[in-house]
């Protein structure tokens, strides 16, 4: 949500409380949480990674400090193979995935 809030680009999953407040429940957004976990954690399955990116029409993937703290390097490294680098600064990389 932090990138979406400042760019206006949609996010795969916003802040839970905000989603619950505006939707009245967290059912639909909550179903995306395991998919996001899989997307950032999958190793050695670039085909499945690309399928999930297409399924949700993901244009960009952010890998910054928050993602590096939450996910293992092997899961994050695949974005170098399945996407192209749109921008890199310090420890943060923005991947273009279309």
């Amino acid at each position: 949500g932090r990138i979406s809030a400042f760019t206006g680009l949609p996010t795969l999953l916003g802040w839970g409380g905000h989603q619950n407040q505006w939707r009245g429940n967290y059912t639909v957004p909550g179903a995306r949480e395991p998919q996001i976990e899989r997307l950032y954690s999958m190793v050695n399955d670039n085909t499945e990674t690309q399928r999930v990116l297409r399924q949700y029409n993901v244009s960009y993937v952010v890998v910054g400090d928050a993602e590096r703290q939450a996910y293992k390097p092997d899961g994050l490294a695949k974005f170098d193979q399945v996407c192209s680098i749109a921008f890199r600064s310090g420890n943060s990389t923005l991947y273009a995935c279309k």
Side-chain angles (χ1 to χ4, degrees):
R2 68 194 190 280
I3 305 298
S4 182
F6 290 104
T7 65
L9 296 172
T11 184
L12 190 53
L13 181 65
W15 294 299
H18 181 82
Q19 293 293 318
N20 190 44
Q21 177 184 12
W22 287 98
R23 294 176 186 269
N25 64 57
Y26 193 65
T27 306
V28 173
R32 292 181 175 193
E33 283 185 29
Q35 292 287 23
I36 294 168
E37 179 70 28
R38 283 184 61 234
L39 186 61
Y40 278 96
S41 300
M42 277 189 278
V43 178
N44 299 324
D45 197 344
N46 292 350
T47 302
E48 179 63 8
T49 298
Q50 291 170 329
R51 188 196 68 73
V52 173
L53 292 170
R54 280 192 309 274
Q55 176 184 351
Y56 291 105
N57 200 30
V58 174
S59 299
Y60 296 99
V61 172
V62 174
V63 176
D65 290 335
E67 292 75 22
R68 292 181 199 290
Q69 288 176 1
Y71 304 102
K72 294 181 181 177
D74 290 348
L76 301 176
K78 72 173 160 294
F79 294 115
D80 282 326
Q81 298 166 357
V82 299
C83 302
S84 60
I85 296 172
F87 179 78
R88 179 174 275 160
S89 178
N91 285 336
S92 298
T93 304
L94 176 67
Y95 293 97
C97 299
K98 290 228 169 179

